Each structure stands twice: as C-alpha cells, then as structure tokens.
Amino acid sequence: MKRASRALVTYSSSEDDAPADAPERKKKKLPSLASSFIVPVPVDNPALHQGRVRATPHVEGQYAAYVYIPLVVHPGTALYSLVDEVFDVIKGMVPAAHAIGEIVSCSKNTSGLVVDSSRRARELHLSLTRPIFLRAHQREGFKRAIKLIASRRTPFQASFATFSELTNDERTRAFLSLEVGAGHNELRDLLSALSPTLQSLRQRDFYSQPRFHVSIAWVLLDPNASVNGDTNTKRHSRAYEGVTIVEGTSDNNLSSNGDIGESNKQFQAKCFPRVPHFPSELIPTLNQRFGARVSSAHIGGFDADTIVVKIGKEIFSWPFQGSHIN
C-alpha cells in the first residue's frame, strides 16, 4: 500500500514580511573600556637612557632576571682609588665612555639646584647567568633554588688578574672589564649548581668557557661597523654584562624596540656618540700602568660571600652559609 505524498509547505522569511520602506536598524556601539583596564605598553626611548636600546621584545607577564655576585667598593679603599684612576685614563682616550656602578648622593644648595654632595660606594656585578626570562609563576621557585644554592656554599676569596674588553651578545655595547683570576674554580662550581635550575626553566647556561669579570665602564658601539673586517673586535670574546632595567618605565621586564624616527636617530647620534670598539692601545696601556696593582691581593682581592638575583626591578640576596659541595 503506497503512502500518499505530502505537499511541501513554503514559509516566507521574516525579511519578506518586512515592509520595503522599513528604516535600517543602527548598530549599537559598545562602551569604551575604562582607563584602569588598559595596560600601557612600554616604549623604548634611548634618549632617556644614555642611548641604550633594548633587544628583547616586551611580553606581558614576563620578567627579566639574572644572577650575580655583588662587589661593593667603598670610597677610601685602594680598589676604589684604582678604579677612579683607570676611568680617568679611559675617559681621556674614549670621551664617550660611561662609568659603571657609580652612585652619587645629591642635595639642594641655597639656590635650589641639585648638586653632588658626596660620593658613595660603587656596586659592581660579577654575572653568573645570561639574561633569563621568567613567567610570573616561576619567580618564587627560582628564588627558592638560588637560596638553596647559597645555603650550601661557603664564602671564598677571589681576585682580579687583568683588564679586558668584552661586548654583549647583541654587540650594542662594549665593556671595559676586570677579569677574575683566583676564585675561577669556585665560580665554575657555582655555574654547575645553577645549571639544573636554568635547564628546568628552558634557559641557556652561562658560557661554556666563561670569563668571569666585573665591568667598570661601557661605550655604545656603532651598528654600522663591520665585525668581520675589524680585527681588533674579533679578538674579544662576547660576554653578557647583565640585564639593566631602565628606571622610569611602568614595565617589569624588557620593553620592545620601536621605530624612533630618522630625526631622533640623528639627535641620538650627536648626543650619544658610538665607536666601533675601544682603541686597540687601551688595554695594553691599562695593563702596563695598573696591571701590577690590580692583580695584587691587597688591592684586587675581594670576598665572594653573597649571591643576588634581580627579577624585574626587585633584588633578592642571600649570604653563602654552608659547606662547599663538589
């Protein structure tokens, strides 16, 4: 028995039912977000930071960090006077050079002007890591790991051996450094202790053949200078001087590079001169004039007794207080 076929019913759409002369509906605009919900993106302005340019793009929630041993040099000490003399020679040969670690105390005089009233200690850094980048949830774990390392280390004596020129990985700056002689083995042990933590965070270890040092001066490098054609620069190994967090920004990590414009580039070229490298005669001159003093235990010797980690703008330190573990 065959079923009777059902007729298909055609329904008209709502558009067909709408009058032809109906006005078009206006789309409602969403209200603007309050300014408190808008996170400002930091903009790198080299003119505010002695011509320095950041190389790592800004990532929200990412914190730049590095680990180092601090060396505080107080006024009146032989090493403080030596660094002053050395920088005078550097400045005479490279007027564009900048001192590192110099802290100046300021006050207002009777006319309301800010003047230098007294010189304070220099803080120099002996880096133990490359720049590392932590997410917010990784910070506490990283601090605990560094604190544990400090609890298992005893203080040790170290001393400087010679002057050297080093450049950062991006080859944007060159550094005049004091290289460590005595204490090198203990510093290598610290790198070995740090390595598992860095690898667990998927961060690179320090250099396979490290040249432990503290830097006392830096200069901007000319990006147009040819590295391959510069025999002087090729002699120097590349070493990271540490992450410098720029004061005055609202960011907690490295900001991104932006297009600063041709006019600003010309302005910075005049205000912040760049060089292809330090003069080739600078290092021999310093070693000849100051080498014996800097390598003497009385002047170039120092205690390595504290480890420091800088995360964003925060600094945490722990003293060495345990037994040395191989």
Side-chain angles (χ1 to χ4, degrees):
M1 184 175 181
K2 296 182 179 179
R3 295 180 181 179
S5 61
R6 297 179 181 179
L8 296 176
V9 179
T10 303
Y11 295 95
S12 61
S13 66
S14 58
E15 294 179 356
D16 295 336
D17 295 337
D21 57 347
E24 184 179 353
R25 292 184 179 182
K26 295 183 178 180
K27 295 182 180 180
K28 293 183 178 180
K29 293 183 179 180
L30 294 175
S32 302
L33 285 175
S35 58
S36 59
F37 289 96
I38 301 174
V39 179
V41 177
V43 177
D44 190 20
N45 185 355
L48 299 178
H49 310 294
Q50 298 172 301
R52 290 171 290 180
V53 177
R54 306 248 183 147
T56 302
H58 165 73
V59 177
E60 186 64 32
Q62 179 174 272
Y63 293 75
Y66 77 111
V67 181
Y68 61 91
I69 291 177
L71 172 57
V72 180
V73 187
H74 296 279
T77 62
L79 183 56
Y80 193 99
S81 299
L82 175 63
V83 172
D84 269 353
E85 291 180 52
V86 170
F87 186 70
D88 286 343
V89 175
I90 296 171
K91 196 70 175 176
M93 298 179 69
V94 188
H98 302 267
I100 291 177
E102 187 173 41
I103 305 173
V104 179
S105 177
C106 297
S107 63
K108 290 185 178 181
N109 59 16
T110 54
S111 62
L113 298 176
V114 177
V115 296
D116 297 339
S117 59
S118 63
R119 300 184 69 185
R120 289 164 38 186
R122 298 177 186 269
E123 182 173 324
L124 306 176
H125 296 172
L126 198 163
S127 297
L128 296 175
T129 65
R130 299 171 186 256
I132 55 181
F133 302 95
L134 305 175
R135 305 299 295 181
H137 68 277
Q138 296 174 324
R139 292 175 295 171
E140 290 302 318
F142 188 68
K143 287 161 53 180
R144 286 194 299 268
I146 304 303
K147 183 179 180 179
L148 180 61
I149 291 173
S151 70
R152 296 176 174 178
R153 299 283 147 174
T154 55
F156 59 92
Q157 290 281 325
S159 63
F160 298 116
T162 187
F163 294 93
S164 62
E165 176 189 347
L166 302 170
T167 67
N168 61 358
D169 285 340
E170 297 76 26
R171 206 183 177 278
T172 57
R173 289 195 290 166
F175 300 86
L176 195 288
S177 304
L178 294 170
E179 284 202 54
V180 172
H184 194 277
N185 292 335
E186 289 84 350
L187 293 170
R188 287 295 294 258
D189 288 342
L190 277 171
L191 295 190
S192 298
L194 285 165
S195 181
T197 298
L198 296 176
Q199 291 180 8
S200 69
L201 296 170
R202 297 184 179 181
Q203 301 291 324
R204 293 187 298 171
D205 284 332
F206 204 55
Y207 301 92
S208 58
Q209 296 182 348
R211 296 172 64 177
F212 298 109
H213 65 280
V214 300
S215 292
I216 60 175
W218 63 271
V219 68
L220 292 171
L221 292 178
D222 183 358
N224 298 320
S226 173
V227 177
N228 293 329
D230 187 348
T231 56
N232 186 63
T233 304
K234 288 169 63 178
R235 291 201 305 267
H236 307 301
S237 66
R238 304 167 76 187
Y240 184 72
E241 177 51 27
V243 178
T244 303
I245 303 301
V246 177
E247 296 81 3
T249 65
S250 60
D251 190 25
N252 53 21
N253 63 32
L254 300 180
S255 62
S256 60
N257 287 331
D259 184 5
I260 61 176
E262 190 62 33
S263 60
N264 281 338
K265 289 179 181 178
Q266 294 175 359
F267 169 78
Q268 291 177 31
K270 294 180 180 179
C271 294
F272 310 111
R274 299 171 181 268
V275 299
H277 50 72
F278 282 112
S280 58
E281 65 273 17
L282 177 60
I283 300 301
T285 298
L286 295 178
N287 281 322
Q288 181 180 6
R289 291 183 58 177
F290 306 106
R293 291 167 60 188
V294 77
S295 60
S296 68
H298 171 65
I299 298 179
F302 61 94
D303 293 324
D305 55 11
T306 303
I307 193 168
V308 176
V309 58
K310 185 171 184 179
I311 305 176
K313 295 182 179 180
E314 296 183 294
I315 298 175
F316 310 91
S317 64
W318 298 273
F320 293 150
Q321 54 186 11
S323 300
H324 184 82
I325 298 178
N326 290 320

